[in-house]
Amino acid sequence: MQLTRRSLLKSGVLGLGLFGLVGLNGCSTEASSGSKKGGDGETKKMTLWTWPEGFGEKLLEEVKTNLKQYDLSQNVIGGDFKQKLTTAFTAASGLPDVTGVKGQDLPFFLTQDKYFEDLNELGAKDIKDQYLEWKWDEATTHDGKQIGIPIDIGPTVLFYRNDVMEEAGLPSEPDELAKAIHEWDAFIELGKELKSKRENTFLIRNCSGMFGTIRAQSGKDFIDEDDNYIGDQEHVRHAWDESLKALDAGIVAKLQADTADTAAAVNDGRLPADFGASWHLADLQVDAPETKGKWRVCKHPGSPTNNGGSFLTIPKGVDDPKASFELIKFILNPKNQAYEYQDKGNFPSTPASYEMEEVSGPVEFLGGQKAAEVFGDAAKEVKPVFKHAHSDTVSAPFTAELENVESSGKDRDQAWKDAVTASKRMAEQVGLKVR
């Protein structure tokens, strides 16, 4: 399998705990439901499909201890998880009793809800109030079917270097920095002041990251719920203009994510801030382990957004849907979501988890800050954004054109026109309504 930063963390490379029951070859083993005799009587064999990040050893041990009637195998599916799951649905064979669905793939699978059990018919309505409403609703179809239960969420905050801010004489404690950068214009001004005191130091990694954050704060995406293309509207243009305002101010590092250049900038303190969800902590720990204790988190300008968060679902036609749902209820209860946060930084979709010691305690890499308070507050303020199955397709030209402006100085008005033209063409090709 391809080792990502998060999978490296979970495999124990950084000493955060071993990730159990996952083979490093990234392959899955097919298993069908059945029964076997054990010391405590008959147990039912059950299969769970996940991607390499999967569920941790602690949670799987909890399943083994508390649901002894089930013999659960977690099968890790490497490569394109969405494609392999779609292939299994089409073949109507070899399907697991429970499968994960990645958050970015959910809009597609909502259009294919015939392949999933309606969890409301299995008791999902009885546990709905345990989960954040906006995240729960992401897995609800137009006609009210519930195809998934949230595994986690990704409320965004600002990660920043406390020591760099303090050295520059700028607000360095989370509360005071959050107050100082409440609006985007204030954030840009602080970035300019930082750069004036520390040459070659940037508050923003690239324009597209800021663009995506501001656009999501509007509560709108590129396509609405009636299949109308809205990528040329004011909420997108505003995000475009604001991100280029930061470029004009000279506070954009022009670096791409997951590159050696970005890692070097983070280590050197030349990129002492970044927008990210709780799982971004894993990136920092891999890129810059020697900066341990120097980072903090605070609310970023504007309202919080969400970046990530997946679901557990039940394929239509499994042997025992009630047993599958019993497993999901247990795996995703507040206590087990707290274990997953402790294991790999997946922030819980269950607010009851936020007060548990596995979540609420100090984070050593963040200088002992109780970061869950910041993430929890952000989670409760996230503005829901409808995500269409083709949103990523029609948004890609905007990211590409922003990179052209950033890297080669392309005329920004022409870049906007080119982005809209290409995006509308793609929208028409996938059957959206375009004005």
Side-chain angles (χ1 to χ4, degrees):
M1 81 182 187
Q2 181 180 359
L3 290 178
T4 64
R5 287 175 169 78
R6 295 172 71 189
S7 61
L8 279 170
L9 284 169
K10 291 184 286 294
S11 62
V13 173
L14 297 183
L16 295 183
L18 293 175
F19 179 55
L21 305 185
V22 176
L24 288 181
N25 59 4
C27 61
S28 64
T29 56
E30 295 296 342
S32 58
S33 297
S35 299
K36 70 176 185 179
K37 290 289 184 179
D40 295 321
E42 194 173 82
T43 61
K44 187 175 184 64
K45 294 175 67 177
M46 304 288 283
T47 304
L48 164 66
W49 277 13
T50 63
W51 39 89
E53 280 76 4
F55 289 99
E57 186 177 82
K58 172 67 174 176
L59 188 151
L60 295 173
E61 284 298 321
E62 289 294 313
V63 173
K64 186 182 297 185
T65 300
N66 292 278
L67 297 179
K68 295 181 179 179
Q69 67 271 36
Y70 302 123
D71 177 22
L72 179 64
S73 297
Q74 176 174 241
N75 289 351
V76 174
I77 310 299
D80 189 334
F81 190 89
K82 173 187 172 185
Q83 183 57 50
K84 292 183 179 180
L85 185 57
T86 301
T87 300
F89 281 139
T90 304
S93 64
L95 286 166
D97 299 285
V98 177
T99 182
V101 168
K102 294 184 177 182
Q104 65 264 34
D105 297 333
L106 185 70
F108 167 76
F109 283 118
L110 281 171
T111 69
Q112 307 293 319
D113 60 290
K114 64 183 179 181
Y115 291 118
F116 298 91
E117 294 285 345
D118 179 3
L119 304 184
N120 283 329
E121 296 180 359
L122 298 169
K125 291 180 179 179
D126 297 333
I127 62 171
K128 179 179 179 179
D129 61 358
Q130 295 182 30
Y131 300 83
L132 287 160
E133 184 175 5
W134 61 264
K135 190 62 179 180
W136 181 276
D137 290 346
E138 285 184 7
T140 306
T141 65
H142 283 302
D143 57 356
K145 295 178 183 177
Q146 191 68 26
I147 71 166
I149 307 296
I151 295 174
D152 62 326
I153 58 175
T156 57
V157 300
L158 181 73
F159 287 79
Y160 73 94
R161 286 276 297 269
N162 169 272
D163 60 324
V164 171
M165 296 298 178
E166 187 173 33
E167 179 186 306
L170 299 173
S172 57
E173 293 303 312
D175 288 343
E176 64 178 359
L177 181 57
K179 184 177 180 180
I181 61 170
H182 182 66
E183 302 292 341
W184 286 104
D185 284 347
F187 183 72
I188 291 173
E189 288 302 314
L190 185 134
K192 290 164 64 176
E193 187 175 355
L194 173 63
K195 191 176 179 184
S196 72
K197 296 179 177 180
R198 283 179 57 104
E199 186 178 0
N200 201 30
T201 301
F202 306 89
L203 268 192
I204 298 173
R205 181 172 54 190
N206 54 51
C207 288
S208 60
M210 185 173 173
F211 169 75
T213 299
I214 297 176
R215 195 269 311 146
Q217 289 176 334
S218 71
K220 299 178 183 179
D221 201 58
F222 294 84
I223 308 167
D224 69 17
E225 296 186 47
D226 296 317
D227 288 344
N228 294 303
Y229 174 79
I230 57 173
D232 57 349
Q233 293 186 4
E234 175 58 28
H235 68 287
V236 179
R237 184 61 197 244
H238 172 70
W240 174 279
D241 289 340
E242 288 296 300
S243 62
L244 292 178
K245 189 186 296 185
L247 181 66
D248 291 340
I251 65 169
V252 177
K254 304 179 183 179
L255 295 170
Q256 298 305 307
D258 302 336
T259 64
D261 287 342
T262 291
V266 171
N267 270 286
D268 297 343
R270 291 181 286 110
L271 185 60
D274 209 353
F275 313 118
S278 60
W279 48 260
H280 184 54
L281 178 63
D283 295 340
L284 296 175
Q285 289 173 311
V286 171
D287 279 343
E290 294 183 3
T291 63
K292 176 181 177 180
K294 297 179 179 179
W295 291 89
R296 304 288 187 274
V297 292
C298 73
K299 184 176 179 179
H300 62 56
S303 59
T305 65
N306 184 71
N307 184 7
S310 301
F311 299 81
L312 285 184
T313 68
I314 302 175
K316 191 76 171 178
V318 298
D319 179 61
D320 190 345
K322 290 183 178 179
S324 296
F325 186 67
E326 188 175 5
L327 277 169
I328 288 178
K329 281 200 305 182
F330 183 78
I331 290 171
L332 299 182
N333 70 32
K335 189 63 175 178
N336 284 329
Q337 290 209 23
Y339 290 145
E340 284 298 284
Y341 174 75
Q342 186 179 48
D343 180 58
K344 61 181 69 70
N346 287 347
F347 201 74
S349 62
T350 46
S353 306
Y354 304 165
E355 303 301 322
M356 297 177 181
E357 59 181 351
E358 293 86 358
V359 178
S360 63
V363 180
E364 192 174 357
F365 196 87
L366 299 176
Q369 182 183 4
K370 294 184 176 181
E373 295 176 0
V374 181
F375 288 112
D377 287 345
K380 296 169 186 176
E381 295 179 24
V382 167
K383 187 182 297 184
V385 178
F386 170 73
K387 191 81 170 178
H388 193 278
H390 295 298
S391 289
D392 290 344
T393 298
V394 300
S395 68
F398 292 91
T399 300
E401 290 297 340
L402 276 173
E403 290 176 359
N404 286 337
V405 175
E406 185 179 284
S407 62
S408 62
K410 181 174 179 177
D411 179 82
R412 59 198 59 194
D413 288 332
Q414 186 61 50
W416 168 261
K417 291 176 183 177
D418 291 346
V420 171
T421 298
S423 182
K424 282 186 173 181
R425 183 174 62 250
M426 292 176 178
E428 289 173 340
Q429 289 173 349
V430 297
L432 298 173
K433 304 169 190 174
V434 180
R435 295 179 185 177

